[in-house]
Amino acid sequence: MNKIANRQVICEVLMDKAKEDKDIVVLCSDSRGSASLAPFAEAFPEQFVEVGIAEQNLVSIAAGLAKCGKKAFAASPASFVSTRSYEQAKIDCAYSNTNVTLIGISGGVSYGALGMSHHSAQDIAAMSAIPNMRVYLPSDRFQTKHLMEALLQDEKPAYIRVGRNPVEDVYYEEYCPFEMDKATVVMEGTDVAIVACGEMVKPAVDAAKLLKEEGISATVVDMYCVKPLDQDTIVKAAESARLVVTVEEHAPMGGLGSMVSQVVGSQCPKTVINMALPDAPVITGTSREVFDYYGLNAEGIVKIIKENI
Amino acid sequence: MGNLKELSYKLRKDVVDMIVEGKGGHIGGDMSAMDILVELYFEQMNISPENMDAPDRDRFIMSKGHSVEALYTVLAEKGFFPIEQVIKEFSKFGSQFIGHPNNKLPGIEMNSGSLGHGLPVSVGMALAGKMDKKDYRVYTVMGDGELAEGSVWEGTMAGNQYKLDNLCAIVDRNRLQISGNTEDVMGHDDLVQRFSSFGWHVISIDGNNYTELKKAFEEARETKGKPTVIIANTIKGCGSSVMENKANWHHKVPNAEEYAQIIKDFQIRKEAAANE
């Protein structure tokens, strides 16, 4: 089992690039530990900005730095940076078009028993609704590395969500196909298309393997790029399937499921089933326990598909 | 000195024409902030259409974005775009000259409109200047009503923490906001003590007086180790008795009779300024 969390990979990429690029600046809101960015702060104190527990300030200061030529990476728990500083993301990053990457750490229900205040089950909906804001949920450590490297190459605002804990690998160090803003088709099948993002990609792949044993052939699409959504890949996967299932660690409204449904409904009508967290504070537990309770695991995905295909 | 004051009345007239033509605008705050902007753009800041992309230029953020009409006239006078175009297009369908700063236009660094953003963004800009060892200065104009936004005080804390002596905030203290007197809405009578307790250098002046404005900006430039805030005590609607100190002129459009009186008042004051 992989022991490296995606947030650690983000730190490693930033440290690697910051050696050469003095314009890379990392900002934290008393979150350097949670974000695994303490090594960056220690190694590059001149390129690190601490703002204290003040997410609005975090995002506005990042935008001001970016406007003056810096590549700003602002890291804070996803629950706070996506909604406490929502307006700063909208105006200072997206509307003013500044080179700020917002890194939402401990996303989704990573904080488990800490309750709804610490869960970010609204971030996809909130961030995606902002013009000029991109939204990414990488599925594993290898993809996270590719994504970070790609984001360092451009100058547009973006929001990334990663979870707190290490996640099982979807890809391999030597094999992680990645094209910026193009979804990765992990498996190809003909009966059902499963579209997932973030930590739900691995259970989707496992579900596809279980389905195969029962003679059901599944496509698995890793939609790490929730916005801009890769519509072509969705349509292609949906057209070759009888049923489309979306899986996400998010509220049932306005997330990946809603977006995929819009595309399928308008371009290649098929039944789409959205698997997501409930429209309610989630049950208390670790993220694993929460996922299992709501059927957001391989067995749960298999069950839904068998019931509906 | 007399020249800037004279110029300010020409620009005030441009603002009124723009608002009449566009059928809306935040006229009262435009008038109170006008002298601050004229002093900044024509005496203090190293900014012009020629150097607007230069890394060493001074930066300005209009945090009270609703006073954009005043900013448009100053930028037009500096040569960023023709004033005739602004007056003709302001607030019209498809226009780039919208009712709050739009950084697709030359000379405007950041978009604003929602209050409480300018100071924290300016902190980031000043911090970048320190990191890059540049000499540029960062200025932001806030409204006094705006100071009720909590994010202003987050930025104030950070300005002190990072000892940003290249940052100068100006509060357009006109004492009126849309609902009435600021002290009745959310009081700010202790502004000097408040900013001082946050570690800032505080200068309180008559914000419609060019001698005092010039002196304050010089003092801010000489203040080391901490940011400066200038509490610019101004008159909302400054320039005409029709509008002065009247809360309902926050965003009123003058009728024909009021327009005639306002322009007449501007002319009288402009002539007086020319003779100073």
Side-chain angles (χ1 to χ4, degrees):
Chain A
M1 167 71 188
N2 163 46
K3 290 200 169 60
I4 301 168
N6 293 345
R7 58 193 167 121
Q8 284 170 267
V9 175
I10 290 175
C11 181
E12 284 165 16
V13 173
L14 289 171
M15 286 182 73
D16 184 44
K17 303 292 179 190
K19 281 183 225 155
E20 306 293 327
D21 188 347
K22 294 298 161 197
D23 283 333
I24 292 173
V25 177
V26 170
L27 300 94
C28 283
S29 52
D30 199 22
S31 48
R32 71 182 81 180
S34 335
S36 298
L37 282 163
F40 186 99
E42 203 165 308
F44 302 96
E46 306 291 317
Q47 290 167 260
F48 182 81
V49 178
E50 175 61 72
V51 304
I53 307 165
E55 292 79 15
Q56 297 177 80
N57 219 16
L58 175 86
V59 177
S60 290
I61 291 175
L65 284 160
K67 183 66 193 172
C68 293
K70 300 297 177 190
K71 295 166 186 168
F73 290 82
S76 180
S79 53
F80 310 141
V81 78
S82 65
T83 48
R84 180 63 170 261
S85 43
Y86 186 56
E87 197 187 71
Q88 282 72 18
K90 172 182 141 188
I91 298 176
D92 304 336
C93 301
Y95 185 31
S96 286
N97 192 29
T98 50
N99 187 6
V100 177
T101 302
L102 302 172
I103 303 171
I105 48 142
S106 301
V109 295
S110 290
Y111 277 129
L114 295 187
M116 185 163 146
S117 66
H118 279 60
H119 296 160
S120 65
Q122 302 75 28
D123 53 350
I124 296 177
M127 286 293 166
S128 296
I130 301 175
N132 197 38
M133 179 60 76
R134 297 172 295 166
V135 178
Y136 299 103
L137 280 80
S139 61
D140 80 351
R141 56 181 166 146
F142 303 118
Q143 192 184 58
T144 301
K145 184 168 187 284
H146 284 293
L147 174 64
M148 283 298 293
E149 287 170 350
L151 286 171
L152 277 156
Q153 297 299 315
D154 69 47
E155 298 186 345
K156 294 177 289 183
Y159 169 77
I160 310 177
R161 184 228 274 190
V162 291
R164 181 171 178 76
N165 303 312
V167 286
E168 283 184 59
D169 296 337
V170 176
Y171 306 102
Y172 304 93
E173 188 148 20
E174 61 279 13
Y175 183 74
C176 178
F178 182 87
E179 188 181 342
M180 190 58 164
D181 295 333
K182 291 294 287 180
T184 305
V185 179
V186 188
M187 295 172 73
E188 283 188 275
T190 51
D191 296 318
V192 59
I194 310 171
V195 184
C197 62
E199 296 196 17
M200 291 298 111
V201 174
K202 180 64 179 168
V205 172
D206 292 343
K209 288 175 184 164
L210 291 173
L211 288 166
K212 195 174 181 185
E213 290 168 14
E214 302 193 37
I216 299 171
S217 157
T219 294
V220 178
V221 175
D222 177 351
M223 191 59 70
Y224 76 88
C225 47
V226 174
K227 189 186 172 192
L229 189 71
D230 179 1
Q231 299 195 18
D232 293 344
T233 300
I234 292 172
V235 171
K236 198 172 162 222
E239 275 176 344
S240 61
R242 286 182 280 154
L243 172 72
V244 178
V245 174
T246 64
V247 198
E248 64 191 310
E249 184 183 359
H250 190 268
M253 281 76 80
L256 179 69
S258 299
M259 295 183 205
V260 171
S261 300
Q262 279 183 333
V263 172
V264 175
S266 63
Q267 299 187 43
C268 51
K270 289 265 160 78
T271 299
V272 182
I273 294 172
N274 299 152
M275 296 182 69
L277 293 166
D279 177 27
V282 304
I283 196 162
T284 304
T286 64
S287 53
R288 170 59 48 208
E289 288 168 337
V290 172
F291 293 152
D292 289 345
Y293 182 80
Y294 295 112
L296 295 171
N297 54 19
E299 294 72 22
I301 298 168
V302 167
K303 182 168 176 282
I304 290 287
I305 290 171
K306 284 170 70 178
E307 283 171 4
N308 290 280
I309 201 156
Chain B
M1 205 67 69
N3 284 342
L4 288 189
K5 198 167 175 183
E6 214 184 325
L7 172 64
S8 78
Y9 287 105
K10 172 192 178 290
L11 300 183
R12 281 184 168 94
K13 179 179 182 300
D14 290 339
V15 167
V16 176
D17 287 342
M18 194 188 306
I19 285 171
V20 168
E21 187 70 24
K23 299 184 177 63
H26 293 82
I27 195 165
D30 288 327
M31 298 299 142
S32 61
M34 181 61 87
D35 300 306
I36 299 166
L37 298 182
V38 168
E39 175 65 23
L40 274 172
Y41 274 88
F42 293 94
E43 282 289 318
Q44 301 297 332
M45 291 198 302
N46 159 34
I47 182 75
S48 67
E50 290 72 41
N51 79 342
M52 66 182 189
D53 295 317
D56 290 322
R57 71 188 183 279
D58 290 330
R59 267 75 168 177
F60 177 78
I61 306 283
M62 194 68 179
S63 192
K64 50 170 299 196
H66 54 284
S67 292
V68 73
E69 298 90 6
L71 180 62
Y72 286 153
T73 65
V74 170
L75 291 174
E77 187 70 21
K78 289 288 287 188
F80 284 95
F81 32 71
I83 189 65
E84 296 76 18
Q85 186 192 1
V86 189
I87 292 173
K88 190 176 155 208
E89 295 179 6
F90 175 64
S91 290
K92 299 279 170 59
F93 179 75
S95 176
Q96 291 282 33
F97 297 97
I98 59 177
H100 290 103
N102 165 19
N103 70 352
K104 288 198 170 66
L105 289 170
I108 294 179
E109 303 274 2
M110 295 288 283
N111 296 330
S112 58
S114 178
L115 298 168
H117 288 245
L119 185 59
V121 169
S122 299
V123 165
M125 292 180 147
L127 206 46
K130 290 284 181 193
M131 286 175 172
D132 292 339
K133 300 188 170 44
K134 300 257 181 221
D135 289 330
Y136 67 75
R137 293 183 63 73
V138 183
Y139 296 92
T140 185
V141 172
M142 297 184 283
D144 49 1
E146 177 177 1
L147 301 182
E149 291 281 5
S151 53
V152 169
W153 302 99
E154 292 187 8
T156 307
M157 270 186 269
N160 172 57
Q161 178 78 13
Y162 287 98
K163 303 186 185 347
L164 300 175
D165 51 17
N166 54 349
L167 171 62
C168 178
I170 303 101
V171 177
D172 179 13
R173 181 75 169 116
N174 60 33
R175 307 188 81 87
L176 288 173
Q177 58 193 105
I178 199 164
S179 308
N181 190 314
T182 53
E183 302 317 285
D184 297 331
V185 179
M186 188 53 67
H188 300 296
D189 251 349
D190 60 344
L191 270 192
V192 172
Q193 298 94 305
R194 213 184 287 175
F195 275 106
S196 296
S197 72
F198 274 76
W200 285 51
H201 181 60
V202 190
I203 307 169
S204 185
I205 59 160
D206 173 350
N208 296 119
N209 179 310
Y210 285 91
T211 309
E212 293 195 28
L213 281 164
K214 187 181 177 63
K215 198 162 157 273
F217 284 118
E218 281 168 5
E219 185 177 323
R221 192 174 279 111
E222 285 155 16
T223 301
K224 299 298 171 198
K226 54 167 78 171
T228 293
V229 58
I230 297 171
I231 312 295
N233 294 286
T234 57
I235 294 169
K236 196 154 184 174
C238 181
S240 167
S241 55
V242 174
M243 305 180 283
E244 283 180 343
N245 289 319
K246 291 174 184 161
N248 66 334
W249 278 89
H250 179 79
H251 56 179
K252 192 172 186 299
V253 181
N255 61 29
E257 193 184 332
E258 289 162 338
Y259 177 83
Q261 186 60 48
I262 288 168
I263 300 303
K264 196 174 159 192
D265 287 351
F266 286 170
Q267 189 57 32
I268 292 167
R269 295 201 195 185
K270 190 178 168 189
E271 282 164 18
N275 295 327
E276 268 180 22

